[in-house]
Amino acid sequence: MRTVTMSDQELPAIGQGTWYLGEGRAPRDQEIAALRAGVDAGMTLVDTAEMYGDGAAEQLVAEALGSVRDELFIVDKVLPSHASREGIIGACQGSLERLGTDHIDLYLLHWRVSQVRFDEVIEGMDDLMREGSVGSWGVSNLDTADISELLGETGGPGCATDQVLYNLIRRGPELELFPLLAEHGIPVMAYSPIEQARLLQPGPGLDALERVAQGHGVSPAQVALAWTVRSGDVLAIPRTGSAEHAAANAAAGDLVLGEQDLAELDAAFPAPETPVALETL
């Protein structure tokens, strides 16, 4: 699988999301099998959050992957309601207990609200890094203005990533946010890279995905994933509760789309011509 460099580490371009896992929407053993199959296929980056199922996703990760913790790169997220210097430390401790580990590889501010002070976030993250509870820190759902403000803070350039909603129909970040992040050497994490399967609903977009997929002998979902990570500085974190789909997601990390493929997808899913507000799911 291709890789993305983040904080001097080579990470798989496609990892595993856990949003909605552990909440009883699918049999627990099936979700555990999917996470294990994903790791076996090379998707060793696993993203979760204290918000997901009020900690249920973290507990599922512990149950499914605790025995291979040393092989994993775990990404977790702190709620903005906990984003004071002291609050971040307490929230991290709770996540560590639910994950059954002594460290989180990458810890993110989940999103920002007006009360969140970046200086306190940075101080809290630095405290956690000094004590070894966190390897690196970053943010999620921050737009261009927020990233600019963050980078202007003392310690702000230590931000490892911005995790945002990005896929073929959510291309707004390409216009201003991605160039700013690239300027500062900050890679992107893309969540919902298949738009929670809405990209696969019938229509002209799916027709284009199917034409490209047929040319490579893969599925439309794999094409959408390969498109998301095409630049080399974006990694994607699709979520699935199916071991079969997990293996297919990992295989998309080896799929290289040609210029004609990209042109066809651009025609079916054009980028906006003017900046739009950052969207979230």
Side-chain angles (χ1 to χ4, degrees):
M1 184 187 298
R2 73 187 76 181
T3 60
V4 174
T5 302
M6 181 185 297
S7 298
D8 297 324
Q9 297 188 67
E10 293 295 315
L11 300 175
I14 299 179
Q16 302 189 79
T18 61
W19 193 10
Y20 294 131
L21 296 187
E23 298 181 29
R25 299 184 179 216
R28 191 174 186 85
D29 59 348
Q30 180 178 310
E31 294 179 338
I32 288 172
L35 287 170
R36 291 175 177 170
V39 170
D40 289 343
M43 294 191 299
T44 53
L45 184 150
V46 179
D47 175 88
T48 190
E50 63 171 334
M51 185 193 80
Y52 298 166
D54 195 23
E58 294 170 321
Q59 292 171 331
L60 183 75
V61 170
E63 183 177 349
L65 303 175
S67 62
V68 293
R69 172 64 182 96
D70 291 345
E71 300 176 25
L72 305 180
F73 186 92
I74 293 180
V75 183
D76 210 324
K77 295 183 284 293
V78 57
L79 284 163
S81 57
H82 294 155
S84 64
R85 183 172 184 175
E86 296 78 14
I88 285 175
I89 294 171
C92 182
Q93 184 58 46
S95 289
L96 290 171
E97 291 174 1
R98 289 187 292 273
L99 287 166
T101 186
D102 62 357
H103 73 285
I104 291 167
D105 298 285
L106 174 62
Y107 200 38
L108 309 180
L109 171 66
H110 205 151
W111 69 89
R112 190 191 191 189
V113 295
S114 59
Q115 297 92 334
V116 170
R117 291 178 46 181
F118 283 145
D119 59 341
E120 290 200 11
V121 171
I122 295 168
E123 289 169 352
M125 294 295 190
D126 285 346
D127 289 341
L128 289 169
M129 290 178 65
R130 277 191 294 269
E131 68 182 34
S133 297
V134 165
S136 58
W137 66 272
V139 294
S140 179
N141 294 305
L142 262 61
D143 62 16
T144 306
D146 281 333
I147 286 290
S148 295
E149 182 182 343
L150 175 68
L151 294 173
E153 292 280 350
T154 299
C159 176
T161 191
D162 187 9
Q163 185 183 117
V164 298
L165 174 60
Y166 178 62
N167 57 49
L168 276 161
I169 59 175
R170 306 276 190 167
R171 298 185 62 176
E174 294 176 11
L175 297 183
E176 292 185 342
L177 181 61
F178 284 10
L180 175 61
L181 294 171
E183 179 184 344
H184 292 272
I186 300 174
V188 175
M189 295 185 70
Y191 68 85
S192 295
I194 312 176
E195 189 73 6
Q196 299 186 42
R198 285 188 283 272
L199 272 173
L200 307 180
Q201 293 178 350
L206 178 58
D207 293 343
L209 284 167
E210 287 179 335
R211 287 192 295 270
V212 173
Q214 288 171 2
H216 291 273
V218 298
S219 71
Q222 288 174 303
V223 170
L225 282 174
W227 178 91
T228 303
V229 301
R230 70 198 182 285
S231 67
D233 54 11
V234 175
L235 58 84
I237 47 171
R239 179 261 303 162
T240 182
S242 160
E244 180 181 358
H245 288 166
N249 289 345
D254 293 320
L255 175 59
V256 178
L257 302 176
E259 291 184 6
Q260 185 174 343
D261 299 326
L262 295 174
E264 182 156 8
L265 294 173
D266 279 339
F269 302 95
E273 296 181 0
T274 57
V276 296
L278 186 66
E279 299 168 282
T280 62
L281 280 180

